[in-house]
């Protein structure tokens, strides 16, 4: 028989077509609307996992997200294997395949359970005591062994094939939790016209109405009211109802993180649908209607499969139509648990007894239970249970002493009361206040614009709860700027009130007992462990938590924290608030990395910036390198060439004929205004006032501390207009730096800055034939040496489009850089390329660019400089305007350290063996025979094979480098000591004649 | 993510549009070339970094691109006031 | 003389039409970044034929031309007719800075019933009509790129970004657009 524990005609699920699923390979069926937990329970399966430390058999404690035990793996396919899924949350779909965790070889027979027999060895703090020595054993032996034995499920080993979405949202009122209070608050708020978002973690809103079948609101059954209210809300334009959506984090200024599970409940999800969606909601007001979490009783052997929370059994019965057993006992210290026995009894399930630890409970529920013929044992305690893989027997004794009794059962329901879910309130930095009378932590001082309503606010009575919530919804909408709706009194009632209950160990679990009475199921923490922590000197709950691990891991102690606190408080003889409450931090329930990453993966991880000629270069077989976010062509290998060969050919070709290079990524800033030259004087070390229109100058920018920040060629386009270039990587920060000074230090200057980095495609044509190559395309500019010498700029047309033509050189050859509007870049490039082919020119990439500039001793900011290099260090003191009264860095340059003797200076290095190419970053020593650690006097900043020089070349920063010309220094490498001679930084065309020739 | 009131855009905007830019009200000396090492140290290197009320610079870099100043309480992480660059430092007490 | 260079558009051939959302690259336009003090606005407005807006997030539009307030002394002027905006401003004697950014920026037209949701996949601003009405314009972020958003209709935005960010911005819009409807 399938689903033997599904009661006909009971619950809210459709009995139609059954859904097939497997658990540990065994096939079962369930219903649409089931959770994995309810479907397994319908099939009589309680055993779902093994505990973390002792590997004790465990079943379902709850019917919701607080579940500590029922963590399973959901395996959709080879790549979609999600560990640690709460079976009480996972919705059933046809074909679902779940596996149990933390057991070997099987769930029913688990070798690891030997830990349970050795439990005394694994008492609280055993990690700290047991694995201390020998030190070396930790990495190799202890940690791997512990990780194998302990831990939860296994992480998937393939990339996540699902995708995830992100949504920023704004609203006037965000209501978290769609139980009766949340629904009432949303109803009141939305009627004002306020923008409302209502989020609930369940697939169907309703909260406590899922199990409180006897609740009535506004003359209807509570459930019908909830369904109708949700439908009304969802139909409104100003309301967004999000189901399967957990509010997991409360951040500054009313920003709430929600995770919406979009496809985890579907058998065949739409491939376009994200698996999850992260909502980052900014709310003017937040209504917290997060409900309360029922606590278990802490009694000996309270963790056997079949022992669960009373309200959860009620949920399984009234919502899912599942009886969690055939003969059930209830152990409670509060009233609402009676309703579970009553509901089950009314549906024909055998109730062995209600055991109540209170001496004389008084409630209509007690009367009703007795009237139904249920045996109510007041003043009794459960002192033990039997049953290996399922609870079988309950041992009961009067608290005041007397004969024991035994009950044969297949389930035991427990409740010690309700803990308001104040997690999000606490995350909002609100201060919790301990209510002595009811022994609860309740929201106290609010720090953000939020309000708590219903049971999370301590209001357990249904009628009070919905009315408090309705009023709060109206009030916050008004605070958010909307007219208050008319006041309304909502009628509501529920059969069994929730009473205060108790926290801490149940009677019979006194100090000194060796019985295992679990406080925290997920971490296998018992009452004894908490007491031991206190005995060993832990005074604050924060210490107790870390020593025992209570309240840690995926459930974060939702059912256990108050019990642990009460036990510690009792041991310390201090009231609960003085022992403290551990801080609630996000997330409320576990959040996948996928949800947090959202779209930011693969090609959307970050922008990939490509120049206008990218596709052309790709078609030519270029190899690209990443320069910041840019893709730049590094070299253009021809058939059979490796990088070395390609670069050797490219760099020779540039010097022999010409090369064409895409320099579009260079940063460009247009400096415009009558005070443009004054501003340039302040931002760069060089003088600018006398730079003629049409002329260019190499500029150096410092930070105020005197160190090189950026460099680049600047052209004066007009009296009031400069075309500034920056390094590729420096473009954004240079503009930011300039704006900073302009806006905050020199705000009176009449000048404005505009980034033109991407306005212009830049095609560099370098080499002796460069002028001939560009000549056919240039209109309106005389490019003869006389009319357009080195370091000049002209505006005209190239290939018929507006252009800025620079005569500049980063290679030491005669060179031009053609700037054309970016969309024309590819077309102009192709024309230049075709013409270049006639002259034997080549395209070259960044690698060749680096070699050619190094042959000339030109620095690259970020390669020769590292934020501690001055212009003088780099041999560029000529670029400092000596007569200038001010520029950024002028004072920094005079700091004692910057003018001291012995600074590292940029020099050339030639290895004695010309074939050896030094490693960039390699350290340099003067005496190869000195003892280790050697005194390092500098390092190699750039190093290449130079085919033009027929040898290796390097640049290096070396202490007093310029005074060491001709000296032999040493570069210690792992397998040899390389000898090198200090030289000039210029390795090729020392006189610079080729610029003009 | 914080919301920051931009005094130029005259509304609160998400923190992602802004960039922090260090302590406010540190003016670059007019005669910077002449100041002593000690004065330069105070100007360039030394920052107050108190707990509680701080005055700091922000730039609405992905918005109006203006630099402005803010008074913020580092304990509560609340902005007490934002104001335009060049405006005087407001008299404020921290939230404590 | 060599033939005139042809334009290549960064988003050539890209578009997306889905349920409640459509993405299309806008045609070429001339654009300038215009910077000016308050005293120059009358002269510049007259030359441009529209009143440069002075309120934050505001825009002004006349025929094919629009000016978007980006900062207290900064406007993005767009002319979809391709008029020579640099030449127009060059004739104005009043103090200002005009810089041609016609090729630096490009635009994507994002429209449809789900336009706010799609943009809010990566833009953290409140894009409800109440807070971002038709005609509103703002520089902001879209994921890891900077954009200028300009609402040109209840269900339509003009999204402007730099040329090399277009692939990322379009890709992210496309990914958000394809998400199953919510």
């Amino acid at each position: 028989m399938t689903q033997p524990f599904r009661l006909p005609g009971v619950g809210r699920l459709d009995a139609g077509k059954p859904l097939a699923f497997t658990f540990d390979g065994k096939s079962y069926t369930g219903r649409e609307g089931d959770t994995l937990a309810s479907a397994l329970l319908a099939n009589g399966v309680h055993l779902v996992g093994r505990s973390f430390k002792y590997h004790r058999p465990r079943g379902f404690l709850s019917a919701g997200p607080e579940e500590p035990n029922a963590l399973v793996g959901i395996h959709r396919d080879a790549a979609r294997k999600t560990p640690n899924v709460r079976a009480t949350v996972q919705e059933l779909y046809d074909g679902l395949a779940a596996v149990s965790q933390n057991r070997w070889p099987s769930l029913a027979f688990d070798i690891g359970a030997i830990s349970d027999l050795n439990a005394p060895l694994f008492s609280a703090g055993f990690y700290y005591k047991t694995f201390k020595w020998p030190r070396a054993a930790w990495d190799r032996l202890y940690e791997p062994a512990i990780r194998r034995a302990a831990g939860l499920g296994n992480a998937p080993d393939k990339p996540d094939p699902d995708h995830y979405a992100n949504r920023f949202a704004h609203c006037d009122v965000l209501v978290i939790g769609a139980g009766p209070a949340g629904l009432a608050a949303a109803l009141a708020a939305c009627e004002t016209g306020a923008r409302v978002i209502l989020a609930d973690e369940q697939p169907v809103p309703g909260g406590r109405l899922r199990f409180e079948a006897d609740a009535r609101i506004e003359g209807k059954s509570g459930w019908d009211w909830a369904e109708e209210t949700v439908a009304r809300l969802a139909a409104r334009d100003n309301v967004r109802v999000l189901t399967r959506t957990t509010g997991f984090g409360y951040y500054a200024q009313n920003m709430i993180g929600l995770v919406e599970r979009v496809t985890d409940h579907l058998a065949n999800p739409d491939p376009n649908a994200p698996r999850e969606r992260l909502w980052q909601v900014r709310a003017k007001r937040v209504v917290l209607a997060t409900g309360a979490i029922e606590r278990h009783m802490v009694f000996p052997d309270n963790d056997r499969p079949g022992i669960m929370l009373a309200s959860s059994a009620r949920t399984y019965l009234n919502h899912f139509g599942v009886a969690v057993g055939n003969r059930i006992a209830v152990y409670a210290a509060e009233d609402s648990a009676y309703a579970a026995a009553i509901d089950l009894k009314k549906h024909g399930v055998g109730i062995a007894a209600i055991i109540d630890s209170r001496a004389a409970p008084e409630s209509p529920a007690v009367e009703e239970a007795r009237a139904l013929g249920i045996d109510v044992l007041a003043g009794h305690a459960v002192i033990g249970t039997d049953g290996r893989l399922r609870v079988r027997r309950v041992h009961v004794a009067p608290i005041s002493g007397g004969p024991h009794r035994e009950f044969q059962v297949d389930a035991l329901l427990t409740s010690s009361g309700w803990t308001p879910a104040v997690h999000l309130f606490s995350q909002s930095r609100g201060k919790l206040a301990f209510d002595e009378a009811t022994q609860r932590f309740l929201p106290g001082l609010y720090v953000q614009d939020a309000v708590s309503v219903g049971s999370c606010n301590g209001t357990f009575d249904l009628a009070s709860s919905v009315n408090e919530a309705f009023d709060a919804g109206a009030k916050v909408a008004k605070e958010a700027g909307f007219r208050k709706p008319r006041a309304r009194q909502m009628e509501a009632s529920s059969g069994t009130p929730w009473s205060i209950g108790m926290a801490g160990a149940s009677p019979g679990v006194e100090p000194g007992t060796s019985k295992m009475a679990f406080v925290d199921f997920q971490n296998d923490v018992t009452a004894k462990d908490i007491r031991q922590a206190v005995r060993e000197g832990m005074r604050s709950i924060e210490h107790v938590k870390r020593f025992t691990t209570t309240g840690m891991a995926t459930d974060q102690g939702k059912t256990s924290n108050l019990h642990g606190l009460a036990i510690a408080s009792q041991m310390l003889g201090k009231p609960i608030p003085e022992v403290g409450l551990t801080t609630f931090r996000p997330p409320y329930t576990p959040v996948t990395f996928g949800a947090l990453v959202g779209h930011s993966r693969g090609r959307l991880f970050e922008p990939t910036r490509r120049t206008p000629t990218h596709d052309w270069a790709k078609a030519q077989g270029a190899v690209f390198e990443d320069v910041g976010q840019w893709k730049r062509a590094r070299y253009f290998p021809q058939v059979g060439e490796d990088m070395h060969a390609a670069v050797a050919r490219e760099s020779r070709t540039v010097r022999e004929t010409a090369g064409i290079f895409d320099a579009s990524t260079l940063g460009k800033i247009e400096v415009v205004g009558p005070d443009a030259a004054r501003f340039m004087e302040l931002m760069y070390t060089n003088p600018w006032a006398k730079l003629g229109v049409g002329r260019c100058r190499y500029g150096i920018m410092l930070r105020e501390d005197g160190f090189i920040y950026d460099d680049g060629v600047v052209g004066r386009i007009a009296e009031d207009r400069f075309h500034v270039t920056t390094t590729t990587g420096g473009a954004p920060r240079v503009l930011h730096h300039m704006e900073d000074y302009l806006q905050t230090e020199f705000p009176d200057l009449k000048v404005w800055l505009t980034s033109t980095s991407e306005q212009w495609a830049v095609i560099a044509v370098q080499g002796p034939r460069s002028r001939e190559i560009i000549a056919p395309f240039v209109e309106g500019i005389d490019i003869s040496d006389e009319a357009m010498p080195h370091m000049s700029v002209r505006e005209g047309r190239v290939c018929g489009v507006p252009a800025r033509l620079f005569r500049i050189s980063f290679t030491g050859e005669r060179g031009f850089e053609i700037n054309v509007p970016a969309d024309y870049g590819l077309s102009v490039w192709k024309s230049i390329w075709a013409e270049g082919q006639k002259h034997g020119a080549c395209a070259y990439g960044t690698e060749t660019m680096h070699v050619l500039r190094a042959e000339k001793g030109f620095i690259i900011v970020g390669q020769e400089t590292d934020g501690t290099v001055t212009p003088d260090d780099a041999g560029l003191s000529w670029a400092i305007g000596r007569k200038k009264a001010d520029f950024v860095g002028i004072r920094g340059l005079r700091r004692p350290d910057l003018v001291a003797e012995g600074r590292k200076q940029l020099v050339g290095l030639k290895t004695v063996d010309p074939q050896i190419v030094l490693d960039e970053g390699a350290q340099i020593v003067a005496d190869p025979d000195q003892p280790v650690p050697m005194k390092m006097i500098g390092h190699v900043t750039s190093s290449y094979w130079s085919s033009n020089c027929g040898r290796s070349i390097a640049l290096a920063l070396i202490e007093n480098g310029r005074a060491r010309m001709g000296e032999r220094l040493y570069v210690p490498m792992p397998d040899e000591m390389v000898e090198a001679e200090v030289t000039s930084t210029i390795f090729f065309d020392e006189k610079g004649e080729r610029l003009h020739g | 993510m914080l919301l920051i009131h931009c005094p130029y855009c005259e509304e609160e905007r998400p923190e992602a549009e802004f960039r922090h830019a260090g302590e406010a009200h540190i003016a670059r000396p007019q005669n910077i070339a002449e100041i002593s090492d000690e004065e330069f140290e105070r100007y360039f290197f030394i920052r107050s970094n108190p707990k509680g009320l701080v005055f700091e610079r922000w730039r609405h870099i992905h918005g109006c691109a203006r630099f402005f100043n803010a008074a913020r309480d580092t304990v509560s992480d609340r902005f007490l006031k934002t104001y335009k660059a060049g405006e005087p430092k407001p008299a404020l007490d921290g939230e404590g | 003389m060599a033939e005139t260079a042809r334009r290549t558009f960064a988003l050539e051939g890209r578009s997306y039409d889905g349920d409640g959302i459509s993405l299309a690259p806008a045609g070429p336009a001339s654009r300038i970044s215009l910077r000016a003090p308050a005293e120059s606005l009358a002269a510049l407005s007259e030359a441009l034929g529209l009143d440069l807006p002075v309120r934050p997030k505001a825009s002004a539009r006349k025929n094919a031309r629009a000016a978007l307030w980006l900062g207290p002394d900064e406007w993005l002027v767009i002319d979809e007719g391709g008029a020579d905006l640099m030449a127009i401003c060059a004739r104005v004697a009043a103090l200002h800075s005009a810089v041609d950014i016609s090729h630096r920026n490009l635009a994507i037209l994002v429209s449809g019933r789900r336009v706010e949701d799609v943009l809010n996949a990566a833009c953290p601003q409140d894009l409800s009509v109440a807070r971002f009405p038709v005609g509103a314009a703002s520089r902001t972020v879209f994921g890891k790129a900077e954009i200028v958003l300009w609402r040109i209709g209840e269900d339509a935005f003009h999204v402007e970004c730099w040329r090399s960010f277009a692939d990322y911005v379009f890709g992210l819009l496309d990914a958000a657009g394809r998400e199953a409807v919510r």
Side-chain angles (χ1 to χ4, degrees), chain A residues 282 447 704 740 743 891, chain B residues 1 28 35 37 67 78:
Chain A
R282 184 76 68 174
V447 173
E704 206 69 85
D740 191 347
Q743 291 184 35
R891 180 60 187 79
Chain B
M1 182 161 53
R28 187 173 185 268
I35 61 175
D37 284 341
F67 282 84
R78 274 180 192 267

Side-chain angles (χ1 to χ4, degrees), chain A residues 647-671:
Chain A
V647 171
R649 172 185 48 76
E650 288 172 13
S651 47
R652 271 196 319 270
T653 307
V654 174
R655 298 215 186 279
E656 283 163 12
T657 51
I660 307 170
F661 174 69
D662 185 347
S664 301
T665 64
L666 278 188
K668 299 161 211 80
I669 298 167
E670 194 104 325
V671 178

Side-chain angles (χ1 to χ4, degrees), chain A residues 47 87 99 402 474 544 614 636 864 919 924 949:
Chain A
L47 174 67
V99 295
V544 172
H614 183 90
F636 291 83
E864 271 63 54
D919 281 4
I924 297 160
C949 299

Side-chain angles (χ1 to χ4, degrees), chain A residues 143-260:
Chain A
E143 189 187 348
I146 291 169
R147 287 203 186 282
R148 242 193 332 272
L152 300 169
N154 296 319
D157 53 6
K158 292 194 166 58
D160 187 347
D162 285 314
H163 61 104
Y164 298 81
N166 179 66
R167 183 75 56 80
F168 293 99
H170 296 76
C171 64
D172 299 303
V173 179
L174 169 65
V175 182
I176 303 175
L183 288 170
L187 203 54
C190 81
E191 285 174 3
T192 66
R195 278 189 294 170
V196 175
I197 295 177
L198 172 64
D200 193 272
E201 61 193 342
Q202 296 288 348
V204 193
R208 65 193 277 185
L209 303 171
R210 293 203 317 156
F211 59 84
E212 285 193 333
D214 48 5
R216 295 193 69 77
I217 301 176
E218 306 255 271
K220 303 176 184 116
S221 92
W223 185 257
D224 289 347
W225 175 84
E227 288 202 306
E228 284 171 29
T229 304
V230 171
R232 267 172 67 193
L233 290 167
R236 293 186 66 115
D237 283 344
N238 61 331
V239 180
R240 172 131 43 189
V241 177
L242 298 173
T243 53
R244 301 185 174 93
T245 303
T246 303
F248 67 84
Y250 199 132
Y251 304 93
Q253 287 169 290
N254 269 6
M255 204 199 84
I256 317 293
L258 312 172
V259 164
E260 178 187 7

Side-chain angles (χ1 to χ4, degrees), chain A residues 85 172 175 339 346 409 540 543 560 719 742 778 835 860 903 926:
Chain A
V85 175
D172 299 303
V175 182
K346 284 180 177 166
V409 299
S540 149
H543 295 145
S560 65
E719 276 300 318
L742 177 56
V778 178
E835 187 66 21
I860 286 190
R903 288 191 63 81

